[in-house]
Amino acid sequence: MKNRISFYVVSGLIILAILGLGVKLVNNPTGLFQSIAVIAIVVAVIYFIVQRVNRANPGKREHRAFAQAAKKSKKRFKNKEQGSAIQRKAKTGTLTSIKKSKRKSSTTHLTVIEGKKGKKKNRASL
């Protein structure tokens, strides 16, 4: 019910505005064009002021960069999930072959540090 009332109100205002513009165009066309020009200039000045204030806020730029990085991360994660699902469907084998393939995958963020792993330290002697 509220939507109907607001629709009628907005429609009535638009019709009255068009009617007013038509009457003003017939009676005083130069005054109409001057009014339109003044309104356009005021809107442009307000727009440029708002843009200047928004650009000066560094927190907004950081938030925008964070949102863009999060979107890229989600996209990359989604691609990995889709790829692994396709691989799972394509591979059909025994349980042991599936276990071996899981063990073969390694994490890329871990590295092996070469060194003497077999030799134990003698902690008793100082």
Side-chain angles (χ1 to χ4, degrees):
M1 191 66 160
K2 288 182 181 179
N3 289 338
R4 265 191 214 166
I5 294 172
S6 63
F7 173 75
Y8 290 132
V9 170
V10 170
S11 298
L13 287 175
I14 290 173
I15 290 171
L16 288 175
I18 291 171
L19 186 64
L21 284 174
V23 169
K24 192 165 186 176
L25 182 64
V26 171
N27 292 338
N28 188 7
T30 57
L32 173 69
F33 293 126
Q34 283 179 344
S35 299
I36 291 173
V38 168
I39 290 171
I41 290 170
V42 169
V43 167
V45 168
I46 291 173
Y47 174 76
F48 285 121
I49 290 172
V50 168
Q51 287 298 319
R52 173 88 53 182
V53 170
N54 280 344
R55 261 189 260 149
N57 189 358
K60 195 154 192 149
R61 268 186 267 139
E62 291 174 3
H63 179 66
R64 190 179 303 135
F66 173 76
Q68 187 178 9
K71 186 186 289 186
K72 283 183 182 179
S73 177
K74 283 181 184 179
K75 187 175 181 181
R76 186 174 60 227
F77 186 69
K78 185 178 179 184
N79 288 341
K80 279 186 180 180
E81 280 185 349
Q82 287 176 351
S84 63
I86 292 170
Q87 288 175 355
R88 274 187 263 139
K89 289 180 182 178
K91 288 184 180 180
T92 54
T94 62
L95 186 61
T96 56
S97 66
I98 292 172
K99 285 183 180 179
K100 286 181 183 177
S101 66
K102 285 185 181 178
R103 273 189 266 158
K104 286 181 185 178
S105 65
S106 64
T107 56
T108 57
H109 65 278
L110 299 176
T111 58
V112 176
I113 301 172
E114 298 296 329
K116 299 176 185 176
K117 295 177 187 70
K119 184 178 178 183
K120 292 187 177 184
K121 293 183 180 179
N122 190 1
R123 296 185 191 269
S125 65
L126 293 174

